[in-house]
């Protein structure tokens, strides 16, 4: 059994932002009501008034730029390579004023709110960015990082932009946390860039996205030839972590009828970890594809999806997809994830495997173990038919210790090149298993705690470990019937150490 070499970045080690004291740095204040751009800006009594003053000024390591709480600032501002901090003395953009005041709001109208280009060591926190609306005038993204390094974005709310709420382009060592990106068009948070055709380069590196919520990013009304309306996307990136994030109610107003959005996903990237996230109620419009929870899409390599929860998505819960014309998809792991009633009966399933060019075997080598896939609407696991009408039968897919429960067949499609061992298979209707792909499988009710009407709908990732449903019951026949997997992460869905004799399912 192959065990891909996975390098998981520890989120706490991605970036270290210094906090040394520098007696030479300056603090600049902005007050839209009482300031003036002719002031020095170096005290609240001599504050600047407009965001344009930030763009025209130059800043040194350790400088602070503070916007007054409770105020609205119209327009936008940009920093460039002249505005660069250091490891110990980053430039900080934040707020001042009493705790009783709300965060300052930047209303940027039809354009962007903040752009950092060729900057290093800049921290941004505590701001609200508002565009004119994805359908009512705005044509840009809210917060744009382009060719930057060592940037920290924390506690920012961004909405009303036609493109991305936060857009990280060709940058490295970027940390995004506690961001709320909503009511945008193309994506809530996007990190990556564009790849030079015919190459396998990664313009972005070391991206962290954590503790952030992306919702109601409904679609870009101007994009008619590609997807829009996703929560979080990482692409063209080497090394990324997405954790403790939510994506919900995205994608419902994408204008095209082709490939569509997903809650949280990655494509054309290496060493991506998606963990402890929740995706629910994402969708694609009628006649379009996708609208699912999570997705490792074309060109993903050496990546892990673990401890996530997907439910009630219009599309598939966990998509393993390979689109035409990209680099190979291989050596990935999905473990200790849950899908419940994903697929919405649209010939999708809890987990879905699809490649556009199945004759080329560019989708290959994946370990899938200790997941629970329950679909009362259709299939649990489905192998699709490719665009050329050839069945998808990717090589090197290995399934261990999973629970597959479904209304229809637990598995559908052609899967002769896949390996199944010690999985549990159960059909809710007729309680008859017509296909038995697993010589060592459990073909009986695995005895999990099935959800009720509302007790499965958790929305806070911090509650995942205490989720009571989908556990094994005390008398479950799946207890102690699993296969020991080397390099299995060491802990189950609920954070407990794994037993020497493993269970089938998430425990």
């Amino acid at each position: 059994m192959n065990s891909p070499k996975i390098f998981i970045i520890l989120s706490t080690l991605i970036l270290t932002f210094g906090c040394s004291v520098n007696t030479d740095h300056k603090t600049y204040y902005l007050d839209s009501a009482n300031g003036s751009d002719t002031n020095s800006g170096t005290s609240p009594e001599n504050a600047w008034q407009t965001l344009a003053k930030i763009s025209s000024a130059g800043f040194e390591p350790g400088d602070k730029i503070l916007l007054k709480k409770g105020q609205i600032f119209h327009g936008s501002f940009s920093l460039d390579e002249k505005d660069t901090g250091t490891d110990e003395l980053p430039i900080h953009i934040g707020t001042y004023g009493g705790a009783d005041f709300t965060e300052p709001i930047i209303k940027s109208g039809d354009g962007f709110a903040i752009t950092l280009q060729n900057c290093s060591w800049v921290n941004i926190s505590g701001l609200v960015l508002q565009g004119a609306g994805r359908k009512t005038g705005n044509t840009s993204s809210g917060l744009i990082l382009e060719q930057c390094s060592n940037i920290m974005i924390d506690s920012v709310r961004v909405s009303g932009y036609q493109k991305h709420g936060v857009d990280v382009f060709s940058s490295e060592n970027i940390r995004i946390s506690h961001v709320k990106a909503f009511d945008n068009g193309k994506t809530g948070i996007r990190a990556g860039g564009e790849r030079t055709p015919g190459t396998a380069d990664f313009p972005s590196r070391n991206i962290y996205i954590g503790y952030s919520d992306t919702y109601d990013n409904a679609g870009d009304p101007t994009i008619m030839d590609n997807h829009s309306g996703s929560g979080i996307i990482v692409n063209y990136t080497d090394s990324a972590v997405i954790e403790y994030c939510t994506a919900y109610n995205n994608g419902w107003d994408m204008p095209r009828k082709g490939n569509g959005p997903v809650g949280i996903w990655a494509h054309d990237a290496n060493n991506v970890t998606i963990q402890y996230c929740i995706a629910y109620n994402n969708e694609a419009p009628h006649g379009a594809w996708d609208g699912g929870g999570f997705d490792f899409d074309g060109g993903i390599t050496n990546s892990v999806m673990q401890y996530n929860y997907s439910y009630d998505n219009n599309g598939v819960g966990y998509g393993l997809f390979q689109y035409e014309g990209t680099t190979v998809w291989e050596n990935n792991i999905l473990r200790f994830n849950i899908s419940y009633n994903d697929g919405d009966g649209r010939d999708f399933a809890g987990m879905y495997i699809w490649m556009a060019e199945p004759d080329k075997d560019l989708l290959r080598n994946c370990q899938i173990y200790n997941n629970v896939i329950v679909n009362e609407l259709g299939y649990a696991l489905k192998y699709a038919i490719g665009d050329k009408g050839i069945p998808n039968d990717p090589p090197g897919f290995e399934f261990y210790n999973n629970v597959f429960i479904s209304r229809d067949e637990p598995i559908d499609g052609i899967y002769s090149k896949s390996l199944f061992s010690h999985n549990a298979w159960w059909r809710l209707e007729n309680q008859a298993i017509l296909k038995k792909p697993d010589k060592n499988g459990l073909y009986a009710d695995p005895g999990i705690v099935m959800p009720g009407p509302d007790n499965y709908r958790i929305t806070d990732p911090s509650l995942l470990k205490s989720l009571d449903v989908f556990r094994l019951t005390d008398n479950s026949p799946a207890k102690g019937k699993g296969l020991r997997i080397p390099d299995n992460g060491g802990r189950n869905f609920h954070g407990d150490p794994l037993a020497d004799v493993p269970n089938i399912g998430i425990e």
Side-chain angles (χ1 to χ4, degrees):
M1 181 175 62
N2 295 325
S3 179
K5 189 176 183 182
I6 302 295
F7 299 94
I8 301 177
I9 306 172
L10 296 179
S11 62
T12 56
L13 299 179
I14 291 180
L15 295 174
T16 302
F17 291 90
C19 55
S20 298
V21 176
N22 175 21
T23 57
D24 296 327
H25 77 259
K26 295 180 179 179
T27 300
Y28 297 93
Y29 300 85
L30 277 81
D31 183 335
S32 62
N34 302 304
S36 171
D37 287 353
T38 62
N39 289 340
S40 66
T42 55
S43 70
E45 296 76 22
N46 291 284
W48 293 334
Q49 184 179 39
T50 71
L51 301 175
K53 188 65 177 179
I54 300 176
S55 299
S56 63
F59 301 98
E60 300 293 331
D63 284 352
K64 296 180 180 180
I65 306 160
L66 305 181
L67 282 63
K68 191 171 184 179
K69 289 184 177 180
Q71 293 192 348
I72 295 175
F73 296 84
H74 292 276
S76 61
F77 69 88
S78 302
L79 300 183
D80 57 26
E81 66 275 4
K82 299 187 298 294
D83 307 303
T84 292
T86 66
D87 183 355
E88 294 185 346
L89 295 170
I91 293 172
H92 176 71
I93 302 170
T95 68
Y96 74 101
D100 294 336
F101 291 95
T102 59
E103 297 92 339
I105 300 173
I106 296 177
K107 289 184 175 289
S108 62
D110 295 348
F112 68 87
I114 301 173
T115 291
L116 305 185
Q117 188 170 33
N118 297 306
C119 294
S120 296
W121 299 107
V122 178
N123 301 349
I124 300 175
S125 64
L127 303 179
V128 176
L129 314 181
Q130 293 181 356
R134 66 185 180 91
K135 284 187 169 182
T136 51
N138 189 274
T139 59
S140 184
S141 299
L143 173 54
I144 303 170
L145 310 182
E146 185 172 353
Q147 295 181 331
C148 292
S149 63
N150 303 301
I151 307 296
M152 183 175 72
I153 310 298
D154 184 69
S155 300
V156 170
R157 287 188 289 149
V158 53
S159 63
Y161 294 91
Q162 187 183 89
K163 305 306 178 185
H164 313 281
V166 177
D167 186 18
V168 178
F169 189 87
S170 297
S171 297
E172 64 180 9
N173 300 336
I174 308 299
R175 183 179 180 90
I176 299 168
S177 59
H178 303 100
V179 166
K180 293 186 182 297
F182 57 97
D183 289 338
N184 302 293
K186 189 171 184 181
T187 315
I189 301 173
R190 192 283 292 262
E194 296 295 338
R195 174 177 286 169
T196 303
T199 70
D201 61 326
F202 297 105
S204 287
R205 297 179 184 274
N206 295 340
I207 305 295
Y208 176 83
I209 304 171
Y211 302 90
S212 296
D213 301 314
T214 55
Y215 54 95
D216 293 332
N217 301 289
D220 184 336
T222 69
I223 297 178
M224 304 303 296
D225 60 351
N226 210 339
H227 61 84
S228 66
S230 290
I232 299 173
I233 298 177
V234 168
N235 59 10
Y236 307 112
T237 295
D238 186 11
S239 300
V241 170
I242 306 171
E243 65 177 5
Y244 295 102
C245 293
T246 65
Y248 57 95
N249 296 340
N250 298 294
W252 46 268
D253 197 30
M254 182 184 73
R256 71 188 301 265
K257 302 299 182 185
N259 60 310
V262 176
I264 300 174
W265 60 296
H267 69 87
D268 296 284
N270 179 62
N271 190 20
V272 177
T273 298
I274 303 176
Q275 59 186 5
Y276 307 113
C277 294
I278 304 176
Y280 61 98
N281 292 350
N282 296 290
E283 60 182 290
H286 182 73
W289 311 333
D290 300 310
F294 297 89
D295 173 14
F296 274 167
D297 216 297
I300 288 292
T301 56
N302 305 310
S303 295
V304 176
M305 197 180 293
Q306 58 186 3
Y307 312 120
N308 301 295
Y309 184 26
S310 175
Y311 65 88
D312 290 348
N313 293 287
N314 182 225
V316 60
Y318 298 90
L320 309 177
F321 301 151
Q322 174 74 344
Y323 66 88
E324 187 173 1
T326 189
T327 56
V328 64
W329 187 112
E330 64 179 349
N331 296 340
N332 300 308
I333 291 175
L334 278 79
R335 60 190 178 196
F336 298 102
N337 302 289
I338 300 172
S339 166
Y340 179 61
N341 280 358
D342 291 310
D344 200 26
R346 301 179 354 167
D347 199 32
F348 285 151
M351 186 175 290
Y352 196 76
I353 298 170
W354 173 88
M355 51 182 168
E357 302 174 280
D359 53 325
K360 295 184 178 180
D361 282 345
L362 294 177
L363 178 73
R364 63 195 187 210
N365 300 342
C366 184
Q367 288 188 332
I368 301 169
Y369 57 88
N370 288 100
N371 303 282
V372 170
I373 311 295
V374 179
N375 193 346
E376 298 171 336
L377 307 171
Y379 301 105
L381 171 63
K382 184 176 177 66
Y383 288 69
I385 301 296
D387 289 350
K388 298 178 181 179
I390 303 173
N392 285 191
D393 190 9
F397 274 59
E398 302 172 354
F399 294 81
Y400 306 104
N401 305 345
N402 301 286
V403 171
F404 296 115
I405 299 175
S406 62
R407 181 198 68 187
D408 298 323
E409 285 283 357
I411 185 170
D412 183 62
I414 305 298
Y415 41 84
S416 64
K417 297 178 182 178
S418 296
L419 172 64
F420 298 91
S421 184
H422 294 78
N423 302 282
W425 309 84
W426 186 241
R427 183 171 179 169
L428 294 171
E429 293 190 1
N430 300 324
Q431 298 184 0
I433 301 300
L434 301 181
K435 297 178 181 179
K436 295 186 177 182
D438 191 335
K439 290 190 297 184
N440 301 305
L442 173 66
Y443 294 97
D445 185 346
I448 68 169
V449 180
M450 291 292 285
D454 298 307
N455 64 346
Y456 69 93
R457 292 191 177 100
I458 65 169
T459 59
D460 182 352
S462 70
L463 301 178
L464 281 172
K465 292 180 180 179
S466 61
L467 183 65
D468 288 330
V469 290
F470 308 108
R471 293 176 179 267
L472 298 179
T473 58
D474 291 341
N475 58 351
S476 167
K479 285 193 171 184
K481 298 298 178 60
L483 182 69
R484 185 71 177 176
I485 310 296
D487 302 322
N488 56 17
R491 295 190 177 275
N492 65 21
F493 184 89
H494 299 101
D496 303 318
L498 293 174
D500 291 335
V501 180
N503 297 323
I504 298 174
I506 57 171
E507 296 183 300

